[in-house]
Amino acid sequence: MTDNKYKMVGNVPSDISVVRFATVRAQEIVALTKMIENPQTTKLIFQKLPCHMRRRAMSHNPNRMPRLLREAHKSQMAKSGPALKPKRPRRKYRRRPSRLLEEYKKRSSKMSWLETHLWHAKRFHMTAKWGYRLPEKSCARGHRFCHRSVAEHCLLVDISYLCCIEIQGPQNAIIPELAPLCDPKTGPTFGASSFLNGTREGRVTIFQRNSFSRGPIGLVTFLWRHGETPDMRTLWIWCHPAFYEQFLVELNSSYGSNSDSLIEQTKIKITLNKGKLNRFRLRGPFAHSVISNLLDKEIRKVFIASQSPGFVAGVDVRDPRMILPQSRVKEHTSMPSQCETVITSRSRLWDASVRDQIAQVRTSFPDYVVNGRRSQLLVPGSELPLQPEEIPIPLLIVNASHESSDFVPGCDVIFPAGWATAFWLALIYSGGHAGGLKDVESMNFEYQICSDLCLEVDSNAGKTAAAEQKVKLMEDYFRKPPKTRTNFIKLATPFPFSIDWNRLLIDWGYQVEQGFTVLRDKKLLNTLSLNNQNLLSELTFSYPQLVAVTIRLKHGSPRDFSMICLPKMDDKFNSPINEPIHQDPGAKERKILRQQHSSQLKTLAKKRKESRSSDDKVKDFCSDAVIAIHKEKMRSLWLPPSCNLKTSYVRPVIGFVTKGDFGLSEGKGIGRGYIVIRSVPQISASLVLVRNPGTSLYMWAEIALC
Amino acid sequence: MVRFKNRYFTAEIIPLDNGHTVQPLNLKTYDILKSVLATTEQIHGEFGAAAIKNGLDVKYCNESTQIAIIRCRHGPHRLLASSLPFLSSIGKRKVQLQSMYTGATLVKCYKFLKKFHQEKMNEALKMCRTEEEKKKIFEIMSKTKYGL
């Protein structure tokens, strides 16, 4: 290799081959080209624009930039963090009537609103239940006022959340399919003759197909259409939204199809009228007089005769917006005392086309037009004469039927969708007192009516509701500091938050793999209440069943989850019996656990500090998992352990009270609950002991099967 | 809003003691920086070194092609430029700096370097004697046209 030649070229070192030289240079060239093509600029995009094209708004509005630079500008803007939230418009703008409607539509998309929601939302505390926003209790009226409304005036509840299912078809095809769903021993079912011609409303407990030993699905009410031939009949079934899905599944399996809305088989058609009908419930002595304010004068005269319990009357009324009284009526109209003619049960409400036509009128003849015409009346506040756009609206008035030994007169009004606010205002102004879910519960507690609005304790819906209530009560309990919590272990309360019926039945010797039921067989209930030992056989006691009872105390009142216990043979009536305070083995454990936990947290905190300062991110000493485990353990130590209900306490437990309070209708403490069927013969003289949760005193009470 | 103007000196580093030692020329930016500062202090004193120090950086340093780009502020750059020929050693090695180009932006220096390398490749092509070497170099050159 001659060095001279290389040295002539100059910068090529002598010991490098040409090829290597060339490759290196080639790589360099490529790298340099890349760097030249993509210069790393630190200038912002808008600085590249000439001055006359820059705009002030482009700092927040990228659409002010020329299109080619827009993307780059947007990405640069995004780099400086998330944009500010758009300013919330001012209150006056938000509340403009045109904008209010879209706001309400947005809110009601997630949770269904009743048509009377706005009226209730201004006056009631609302809750979300079963996919609806429902009024719970009044903001202004108390518990006693609402009880007085039911007892002396008229309570008005909007129950449009009940779901209606319509079945159309030949009578002989509908009834046999529905027969496996209901137990004939509990009472008249769908095919009973008293309901078939459509003049009365019936109620029936439905079960899962052919399995009456498992719990029911719930209580439903039904109506046949009046005035039809047996080959084409219509049946309306009203069921509670809590078990609506389950009921639909059962119906679909009965009629053998998978589709939801229309089932065409053997000419049977099922339609879901979920949002198409509204229903109000009026209960109280003056319910009929409140309703009669809606009716025309001629019908009012004959209304009195159609007030037999359970009767269905179909009437046509005028648009209630025309006859709205100017101020609320406090006294009630007196009704004519005697009448013979009965209003027919036929109604145009059953036609879907009529309902749609009437729903149209609501939008074609709006409120402000009506109000305008009313303001032009000569005598303010009087009725508007018949208007040309009016159509008579068909109503169905369903009287309250006998549900229990107490009868509270009242009726239900059913009318097409879209008219709820009009009818609601008319009824309120005629003297009805509005009520919410709490008032329905209290009606069920005091008088045992409205049971189709309450869930059965052995149904799936009832168990879910009980589980939710348990969670809520436990949260409330554990939110209190440990010192103020009642110690249910020491006070010997087995179930302070919810009742475990399975445990009770197991302790009384039953097997509960298939679940338990409440005894609904009317004949058996009668024989049990007669308390005749000869008539009862061992067979009746072999199934795990509960019996519904009412207990009445002379002094004091039971609470929810109170224990019903059997007195011993030699216990004298009204002698004081006390439950001794039980030992709480958990107390020591809790103390030790607390100390351990706090020291553990301290060590973890120390370790975290060390790792932070030593800059060693090997382990993460997070104490979240430790805290969660400790919380669970402590909670389980506070709850009373599961024990044998017959033997652990001074007197054996036979049942529990599900709802207990001072009963305003009777003036003494009442409890509605359930007891084990096997204990019924052991009750002597209808006397039992009741012990409230968290107390040690056994109160003497009278028991009656209800 | 004062604008900081810079000058980028592209220089070729020629090792002086080659031929005997086959050590690879270990070019570190830190070494070059230190030696530049030392030389400027030698030539222009403390003032010179201090004037240059702010903004002094070795922006590009390539071992295999022996090229370095040194940045300096516009103003004191003349002091640096005048002291570069006197730089005799980088680290432990005896070198000689030959400045090729002074640019006001780094991109201009890159453009110059690209042209420089391409000319060098053409010369290498002329210089090789065997056919296969020529073919190989053609191959490499064609690759650069399409950017490897």
Side-chain angles (χ1 to χ4, degrees):
Chain A
M1 292 253 230
T2 48
D3 295 315
N4 300 337
K5 253 204 173 152
Y6 286 136
K7 280 227 171 98
M8 230 160 62
V9 180
N11 297 327
V12 180
S14 49
D15 52 346
I16 288 185
S17 71
V18 188
V19 178
R20 193 152 36 125
F21 175 83
T23 37
V24 169
R25 301 278 151 158
Q27 283 170 351
E28 276 305 298
I29 290 174
V30 169
L32 287 172
T33 326
K34 222 176 8 174
M35 282 207 259
I36 291 170
E37 306 268 284
N38 314 331
Q40 199 183 30
T41 44
T42 47
K43 243 190 186 174
L44 292 172
I45 298 281
F46 58 80
Q47 286 176 305
K48 293 207 170 153
L49 272 183
C51 289
H52 68 273
M53 286 173 70
R54 297 188 202 166
R55 295 285 173 268
R56 181 187 292 202
M58 65 187 178
S59 67
H60 59 86
N61 184 2
N63 291 343
R64 287 282 177 190
M65 298 278 281
R67 270 176 198 266
L68 291 172
L69 297 173
R70 226 175 265 181
E71 277 306 315
H73 188 229
K74 272 195 208 164
S75 58
Q76 273 187 347
M77 270 175 30
K79 272 198 200 156
S80 64
L84 286 167
K85 252 184 8 187
K87 196 173 73 159
R88 192 190 194 198
R90 60 188 193 279
R91 188 182 157 97
K92 186 172 173 187
Y93 174 76
R94 272 186 281 138
R95 283 167 152 233
R96 277 210 195 121
S98 53
R99 300 216 64 226
L100 271 183
L101 207 60
E102 26 171 292
E103 173 76 31
Y104 292 153
K105 282 217 179 73
K106 205 169 37 154
R107 272 191 233 163
S108 59
S109 58
K110 295 197 196 112
M111 201 49 56
S112 280
W113 280 7
L114 297 175
E115 286 188 30
T116 46
H117 177 93
L118 286 177
W119 191 94
H120 283 296
K122 292 183 190 172
R123 297 160 179 85
F124 278 74
H125 297 291
M126 310 289 282
T127 47
K129 266 198 175 164
W130 314 306
Y132 289 92
R133 283 285 272 172
L134 299 173
E136 182 157 20
K137 64 174 184 167
S138 168
C139 292
R141 317 270 181 241
H143 181 236
R144 296 182 52 148
F145 178 90
C146 295
H147 174 259
R148 256 180 280 139
S149 304
V150 183
E152 292 157 32
H153 308 291
C154 167
L155 185 76
L156 183 57
V157 195
D158 184 357
I159 49 171
S160 309
Y161 55 87
L162 284 186
C163 313
C164 172
I165 302 173
E166 181 175 320
I167 306 182
Q168 280 174 322
Q171 194 174 307
N172 325 343
I174 301 182
I175 297 178
E177 295 296 332
L178 291 173
L181 294 178
C182 26
D183 193 354
K185 292 193 246 165
T186 59
T189 66
F190 289 103
S193 52
S194 47
F195 307 127
L196 261 188
N197 63 351
T199 47
R200 288 195 189 269
E201 192 198 38
R203 43 183 56 223
V204 71
T205 331
I206 41 163
F207 295 79
Q208 288 173 330
R209 288 208 84 159
N210 289 326
S211 57
F212 302 144
S213 54
R214 274 197 260 154
I217 297 180
L219 188 78
V220 298
T221 56
F222 59 92
L223 265 182
W224 287 98
R225 184 173 181 178
H226 183 73
E228 281 182 320
T229 54
D231 23 301
M232 198 62 203
R233 299 227 55 188
T234 322
L235 171 68
W236 272 354
I237 307 180
W238 295 81
C239 82
H240 196 275
F243 52 80
Y244 177 61
E245 302 287 320
Q246 208 182 354
F247 184 46
L248 269 187
V249 164
E250 284 303 318
L251 275 186
N252 282 336
S253 68
S254 308
Y255 291 105
S257 166
N258 287 329
S259 77
D260 224 310
S261 46
L262 277 182
I263 302 164
E264 303 266 357
Q265 195 176 314
T266 68
K267 290 185 271 177
I268 292 183
K269 201 167 73 149
I270 299 187
T271 17
L272 305 174
N273 284 343
K274 200 161 171 202
K276 303 197 194 134
L277 292 165
N278 279 329
R279 189 167 173 154
F280 291 163
R281 180 161 292 191
L282 293 94
R283 289 285 184 267
F286 287 111
H288 288 280
S289 80
V290 167
I291 282 273
S292 63
N293 280 329
L294 287 177
L295 310 171
D296 299 333
K297 291 230 167 41
E298 310 82 49
I299 306 184
R300 238 179 258 182
K301 292 183 208 150
V302 297
F303 191 42
I304 185 81
S306 21
Q307 283 182 20
S308 54
F311 188 71
V312 176
V315 291
D316 279 357
V317 296
R318 276 190 73 190
D319 192 333
R321 297 175 291 176
M322 314 296 167
I323 46 182
L324 197 65
Q326 198 177 28
S327 62
R328 210 193 284 214
V329 162
K330 290 255 170 98
E331 301 89 35
H332 300 281
T333 54
S334 60
M335 308 266 290
S337 48
Q338 281 290 12
C339 192
E340 278 90 39
T341 44
V342 170
I343 303 181
T344 172
S345 306
R346 204 181 285 248
S347 174
R348 292 181 305 143
L349 188 61
W350 295 83
D351 277 320
S353 52
V354 174
R355 289 202 295 264
D356 292 334
Q357 191 191 15
I358 290 171
Q360 272 296 312
V361 170
R362 196 66 158 90
T363 46
S364 66
F365 191 30
D367 278 353
Y368 68 92
V369 173
V370 177
N371 290 338
R373 291 193 197 167
R374 286 195 77 167
S375 65
Q376 289 168 357
L377 282 175
L378 217 51
V379 179
S382 59
E383 278 184 28
L384 264 186
L386 199 63
Q387 304 291 305
E389 300 98 335
E390 260 192 73
I391 302 182
I393 303 173
L395 290 184
L396 267 181
I397 304 183
V398 178
N399 288 325
S401 46
H402 277 289
E403 285 185 58
S404 64
S405 45
D406 296 317
F407 177 64
V408 178
C411 50
D412 278 11
V413 195
I414 310 179
F415 48 92
W419 288 91
T421 35
F423 280 102
W424 182 261
L425 284 176
L427 289 172
I428 292 277
Y429 274 44
S430 312
H433 298 166
L437 288 178
K438 253 212 165 132
D439 307 313
V440 164
E441 261 180 47
S442 102
M443 269 202 288
N444 190 40
F445 169 64
E446 304 268 351
Y447 304 105
Q448 296 194 295
I449 55 173
C450 299
S451 36
D452 55 333
L453 296 177
C454 300
L455 306 168
E456 310 277 329
V457 79
D458 47 348
S459 63
N460 282 348
K463 286 179 192 163
T464 331
E468 279 171 14
Q469 201 199 14
K470 175 178 183 176
V471 167
K472 184 168 157 304
L473 288 173
M474 285 222 315
E475 287 298 316
D476 286 341
Y477 179 70
F478 284 114
R479 210 171 287 150
K480 288 204 196 122
K483 201 126 196 218
T484 52
R485 286 181 204 156
T486 51
N487 192 332
F488 287 121
I489 308 175
K490 277 195 189 165
L491 293 169
T493 310
F495 304 128
F497 308 119
S498 79
I499 306 169
D500 189 2
W501 297 106
N502 287 334
R503 179 74 222 213
L504 178 68
L505 288 164
I506 289 173
D507 287 337
W508 277 84
Y510 289 103
Q511 277 102 24
V512 282
E513 296 86 30
Q514 294 216 324
F516 61 92
T517 50
V518 173
L519 183 67
R520 292 185 177 85
D521 186 341
K522 292 224 160 122
K523 256 203 228 162
L524 264 184
L525 279 173
N526 272 334
T527 48
L528 273 177
S529 56
L530 288 176
N531 215 5
N532 201 335
Q533 302 285 36
N534 312 337
L535 295 173
L536 300 166
S537 66
E538 202 35 54
L539 191 65
T540 52
F541 299 128
S542 55
Y543 300 111
Q545 281 176 328
L546 300 170
V547 184
V549 295
T550 311
I551 51 168
R552 292 184 170 83
L553 277 85
K554 203 162 132 192
H555 300 291
S557 67
R559 299 266 156 251
D560 289 359
F561 315 123
S562 299
M563 293 148 270
I564 307 176
C565 312
L566 211 54
K568 280 202 203 147
M569 285 300 164
D570 42 357
D571 278 337
K572 267 205 295 207
F573 180 56
N574 271 342
S575 59
I577 309 175
N578 273 311
E579 175 83 23
I581 296 198
H582 286 218
Q583 293 297 324
D584 183 12
K588 243 191 208 158
E589 226 184 296
R590 287 197 294 268
K591 188 165 176 183
I592 297 173
L593 197 71
R594 215 186 356 255
Q595 286 166 348
Q596 267 181 357
H597 179 69
S598 63
S599 61
Q600 209 176 2
L601 284 181
K602 277 193 199 135
T603 48
L604 276 176
K606 240 190 261 175
K607 288 206 187 127
R608 274 199 297 270
K609 196 167 170 190
E610 276 172 16
S611 78
R612 223 183 298 150
S613 56
S614 78
D615 209 27
D616 176 30
K617 301 280 180 108
V618 177
K619 270 198 276 188
D620 180 33
F621 298 102
C622 185
S623 41
D624 286 345
V626 174
I627 292 177
I629 295 172
H630 170 80
K631 182 171 150 183
E632 286 307 313
K633 189 99 199 342
M634 279 299 258
R635 285 205 176 183
S636 66
L637 281 175
W638 270 101
L639 293 176
S642 181
C643 53
N644 191 325
L645 294 170
K646 254 175 119 172
T647 52
S648 322
Y649 309 115
V650 167
R651 300 285 183 273
V653 176
I654 59 172
F656 289 92
V657 170
T658 46
K659 207 132 192 342
D661 211 343
F662 184 77
L664 288 168
S665 55
E666 301 191 24
K668 46 166 77 140
I670 308 180
R672 312 270 184 211
Y674 298 92
I675 57 174
V676 180
I677 194 171
R678 208 168 257 171
S679 60
V680 174
Q682 299 180 18
I683 303 174
S684 62
S686 307
L687 287 176
V688 289
L689 297 166
V690 178
R691 181 158 72 92
N692 289 348
T695 59
S696 58
L697 178 68
Y698 283 92
M699 302 182 279
W700 286 90
E702 265 181 29
I703 191 167
L705 266 61
C706 59
Chain B
M1 269 284 290
V2 187
R3 195 191 175 112
F4 276 125
K5 300 194 186 186
N6 299 319
R7 289 289 174 268
Y8 296 84
F9 295 95
T10 41
E12 200 169 347
I13 299 171
I14 307 165
L16 284 179
D17 53 357
N18 238 1
H20 314 290
T21 49
V22 207
Q23 299 166 315
L25 188 62
N26 208 1
L27 273 186
K28 284 251 167 73
T29 52
Y30 180 63
D31 291 334
I32 302 177
L33 209 63
K34 226 172 36 168
S35 48
V36 160
L37 270 175
T39 319
T40 319
E41 181 161 0
Q42 213 179 23
I43 305 293
H44 297 286
E46 241 179 80
F47 164 76
I52 285 176
K53 194 158 180 194
N54 181 24
L56 185 66
D57 199 6
V58 177
K59 293 303 274 184
Y60 173 89
C61 176
N62 196 335
E63 168 90 38
S64 34
T65 56
Q66 299 171 332
I67 291 182
I69 302 184
I70 307 169
R71 180 186 74 185
C72 181
R73 288 268 177 263
H74 172 70
H77 71 283
R78 297 200 56 166
L79 299 171
L80 178 60
S82 58
S83 53
L84 271 185
F86 294 96
L87 201 144
S88 56
S89 63
I90 292 179
K92 302 261 170 61
R93 308 293 301 275
K94 287 216 169 21
V95 295
Q96 187 188 13
L97 276 192
Q98 192 179 46
S99 75
M100 305 184 285
Y101 178 76
T102 311
T105 61
L106 210 54
V107 177
K108 278 289 196 203
C109 291
Y110 288 152
K111 286 187 180 162
F112 167 80
L113 276 181
K114 182 172 163 188
K115 222 171 19 169
F116 177 78
H117 285 317
Q118 271 172 343
E119 281 174 9
K120 276 276 166 315
M121 293 251 305
N122 290 336
E123 283 179 21
L125 188 63
K126 274 186 237 150
M127 209 179 56
C128 55
R129 273 164 275 136
T130 52
E131 271 305 312
E132 49 179 87
E133 281 184 349
K134 269 205 182 137
K135 249 204 289 190
K136 268 196 216 156
I137 293 185
F138 261 126
E139 229 180 84
I140 293 165
M141 273 179 69
S142 62
K143 271 198 205 151
T144 63
K145 286 254 171 18
Y146 301 114
L148 267 154

